[in-house]
Amino acid sequence: MPYKILDKARLNSVTSKIVIEAPYIARNARPGQFVVIHIDEKGERIPLTINDSNPKDGAITIIFQGVGRTTCRLAALKKGGFVQDVLGPLGKAADFGRAGRVIFIAGGVGIAEILPVARYARANNNIVTAVTGARTKELLILEDEMRGASDRLFIVTDDGSRGARGVVTGPLKELLDKEAFDLAYCVGPDIMMKFACGLTKQYNLKTLVSLDANMVDATGMCATCRVKVGGEVKFTCVDGPEFDGHLIDWDEFMKRQKRFVALEKRAMEYHGHKCRMPG
Amino acid sequence: MREQKPKERIRNFNEVALGLTEEEAVAEAKRCLECKRAACIGGCPVEIDIPAFIKLISEKDFQGALDKIREKNSLPAVCGRVCPQEDQCEKVCILAKKKEPINIGALERFAADWALEHKVAKYELRTPNSERRNARVAIIGSGPAGLTCAGELAKMGYGVTVFESLHSSGGVLVYGIPEFRLPKGIVESEVDYLRGLGVEIALNVLIGRTRTLDELRKAGFGAFFIGIGAGLPYFLGVEGEMLNGIYSANEFLTRVNLMKAYLFPEHDTPVKVGEKVGVIGAGNVAMDAARSARRLGADEVSIIYRRTEMEMPARIEEIERAKEEGIRFELLTNPTGFFGDADGWVREAECVRNRLGEPDSSLRRRPVPIAGSRFKMALDTVICAIGQGPNPLLPRTLPDLKLDEDGNIIVDKLGMTSIEGVFAGGDIVTGAATVIAAMGAGRRAAAAIDVYLTQQA
Ligand SMILES: Cc1cc2nc3c(=O)[nH]c(=O)nc-3n(C[C@H](O)[C@H](O)[C@H](O)COP(=O)(O)OP(=O)(O)OC[C@H]3O[C@@H](n4cnc5c(N)ncnc54)[C@H](O)[C@@H]3O)c2cc1C
Ligand code: FES
């Protein structure tokens, strides 16, 4: 039974949003969880965070950047089209409850991943501060939604075309110097999470991250998603994707993330770089 | 049996064993002595009436032969290929004492393949009993245990839905055992046969996450069978196992089989195989991984095993085929750590040599490291095939489900778990075992579920 694409929109030149009909997933999905999408028989299984779920319509929303072969193929699908398989909701949901003052830090498409957790934080009576960033104004997504989900929102872009000029760790450091927080939640490129965690560690601020590890089954069966957390081997798909960022062996994790890069490049070449982003 | 020649077959993923022709099958069947007290039946975990089906083959009643097998075994095309007959029915064949035992596996496969080729599908449906017709059974996991249980219940007239988390049904038969040993088309045909019996198959449903057992109960399912297999891969627990190029056998085989990485880049899932591959372990899983790596172009593939050939758990046939394909065997050898380069890719294994000591709890002689035998072995790919355990995901959602110390589900004589109406069988109960054992458990549970639901009605 294929899964229908109920809606499809383009958020900017690299980011798309699709709404997929998946009633059981929509009913049970919690903030922080993800799905695995397998477009067709020849496709890969890739994990994507559930950005929003609507049990009434039986629909889930996914926001992603067309960067690899599969995300580019996804971006090319149209409203009314289908994907063959969607499995979920997977992974542990956010469960920090009422922590107090929570600061969210997100970069790029990571903003789409923190949004549901920021909403969860608000619903649990936390005071929510958010710092979001992108390379440039055009790539900054979900500004209004983030504003709605937080008490305060700070924006940065690499080129200063929107908000302050700089990277997320800039405002983060300023805030940490001035104020006390009870919890940080950070999602973005691996290198950004590594640096943000390095910073919050100096302030002894517990920091949760959501890892975007390479996966296959996402049910705990293959171990490709393993990551060392506090010296212990964990499976991102079932033990995560949320982990204590101060306990992650970031250098090892980032090396592991490069395992299939060369082959992925070969696949893109083989298929003639067919990454287009139609509306 | 005819086979693809080693030189050819290491370049493709097509089936190695090519099956018997009609003439060969009939001739082989005619060798059967039709023993009155046939030992082979006792040697078969599901007690197929072996002399009866062989006699039907000798009389060229191939459909009759298949029907006879199907009375006890719902996956004959699969079992004919992957059962360890040499330890079961063929081991006790009276002819084994003098010369060659009857090639029972090949005959079972022949009957099943004959029907597939001639597109014969005969569904034997028992008329649904009016009292039971409304009872619905949920099967969790579509491996041999789940599929067998589903088929048996459907034949009795129950409404059956199989829930499977992956995007294909068959369990290990589709994600683990390679195409060259068990073509996926065969598994699909067997699953189609079950669909013909009225079994519904719901893919992409991870019970415990997508839907819960409680939800299924509320949705009207009256009994459950858990056949979720032994899906959790074990590692050695030595230094360096996080290095790039080190796979669990589950990952490696899932990429290759389920995701068809051997057709990369036409298929999108990659698998990276280097020049020197070390496979740790010597069971069927290890042989499958080693032979797959060879087919993916590795120059040198070694099985690294801590005991000797005598103790290797893999089927003899598979060990022989691995040898023919140029797989090397580093026996009495145990890796103690892995070392990599600056980018995090594995480059070598540190190993010790063993000698055999006293027998351990598995009754196999325990490997004892030889002092001062430490050495390095250059490797750029490592596949860890030292075993699998129970995946805790579903059990964790069921606090009342009793588990043993390894995390396997505990069942009573009838296959019922500590939760009423919830049965279990296959690898999740016994630990990693065999296809036929899982099927046997599925069959017995189906009978027990029938009794249970009849009492409830
Ligand atoms: C590589 C390999 C080679 C083998 N070779 C042989 C051989 O030659 N001969 C032989 O007899 N045996 C062999 N075996 C062993 C044999 O395959 C297993 O013993 C048998 O498949 C066990 O069957 P099962 O039904 O218990 O579980 P499995 O076949 O493991 O099936 C379990 C299924 O349940 C699904 N599942 C798990 N959790 C959930 C959940 N929560 N919700 C929904 N679905 C779920 C899984 O995705 C899987 O599809 C081999 C095993 C492997 C791994
Ligand atoms: S993706 Fe396979 S175990 Fe996590």
Side-chain angles (χ1 to χ4, degrees), chain A residues 34 36 213-226 235-238, chain B residues 231-233 251:
Chain A
F34 66 94
V36 157
N214 196 301
M215 296 188 189
V216 180
D217 60 298
T219 65
M221 186 257 282
C222 78
T224 197
C225 64
R226 64 194 188 277
F235 289 3
T236 306
C237 66
V238 289
Chain B
L232 180 77
E251 175 184 357

Side-chain angles (χ1 to χ4, degrees), chain A residues 23-25 27-30 33 88-89, chain B residues 138-140 163 204-224 226 393-399 419 422:
Chain A
Y24 292 121
I25 303 177
R27 189 189 307 165
N28 285 331
R30 301 283 171 272
Q33 289 187 303
Chain B
I139 310 284
I140 304 164
F163 297 97
N204 303 317
V205 182
L206 179 62
I207 300 297
R209 290 271 203 268
T210 314
R211 306 184 71 179
T212 62
L213 219 68
D214 273 348
E215 286 170 1
L216 294 182
R217 227 188 256 281
K218 283 184 197 127
F221 287 95
F224 302 84
I226 303 178
L393 190 141
L394 174 63
R396 270 184 202 154
T397 66
L398 301 169
I419 305 178
V422 179

Side-chain angles (χ1 to χ4, degrees), chain B residues 320-340:
Chain B
E320 289 310 318
R321 287 185 178 146
K323 285 184 182 163
E324 288 168 14
E325 290 169 12
I327 309 292
R328 300 173 57 227
F329 288 77
E330 288 282 352
L331 303 175
L332 289 168
T333 303
N334 206 26
T336 50
F338 299 99
F339 300 91

Side-chain angles (χ1 to χ4, degrees), chain B residues 82 141 143-145 164-165 171-172 181 205 207 227-229 288 426-427 433-435 438:
Chain B
V82 305
E164 167 58 51
S165 56
V172 168
R181 210 148 69 77
V205 182
I207 300 297
I228 56 176
D288 283 346
D427 283 2
T434 58
V435 172

